[in-house]
Amino acid sequence: MSAPQDGPWLDGAAGRLVRPYTISNGRTRPTTSMDLLSLVMATGATPLGYLGPEHSQALELCAHPTSVAEIAGHLGLPAAVTKVLLSDLVDCGAVTTKPPTFHDNPTDRSLLEAVLDGLRRQL
């Protein structure tokens, strides 16, 4: 019988076979402050050292400014794990982050109604 780490990371029926925090080596806090709306973009610098497959996937998603939430969704990982992976990429100079920018008023009623209408159309 093979050890669990020898098998595939994903199983069609069961989903992810590796716990998400294994991917971040058990770390739960990023070294860089960011929230779900922070925009992340690749710098073009080649990261030094070993990066796991999730780091590489995240870096590919950062070719254009992309939110942390969107990256987490594409990777299928919890936001906390995604933030740790992205902070690793920030630490090695492969990506930069910037806080979200809101025009005038982030709680503008017309903006919120437009978002709600868009979400309703998706359902």
Side-chain angles (χ1 to χ4, degrees):
M1 179 176 200
S2 66
Q5 66 268 21
D6 293 339
W9 288 66
L10 294 172
D11 178 87
R16 184 175 289 278
L17 298 176
V18 175
R19 294 194 183 266
Y21 293 99
T22 302
I23 295 166
S24 64
N25 293 324
R27 295 172 293 144
T28 58
R29 297 188 186 210
T31 56
T32 303
S33 176
M34 62 184 88
D35 62 28
L36 291 176
L37 297 178
S38 295
L39 296 176
V40 185
M41 184 162 178
T43 62
T46 303
L48 300 175
Y50 173 76
L51 292 178
E54 289 81 8
H55 286 94
S56 298
Q57 290 172 339
L59 185 56
E60 288 175 14
L61 293 168
C62 297
H64 303 285
T66 310
S67 71
V68 172
E70 189 173 350
I71 294 167
H74 283 293
L75 294 177
L77 293 172
V81 174
T82 301
K83 287 180 184 181
V84 171
L85 294 177
L86 292 172
S87 70
D88 291 345
L89 293 171
V90 168
D91 292 345
C92 71
V95 300
T96 60
T97 65
K98 74 176 203 173
T101 54
F102 295 106
H103 303 289
D104 298 328
N105 183 4
T107 57
D108 178 29
R109 184 175 178 92
S110 63
L111 174 64
L112 295 174
E113 286 175 351
V115 169
L116 183 59
D117 289 342
L119 289 172
R120 285 183 179 146
R121 278 180 280 186
Q122 295 296 319
L123 299 175

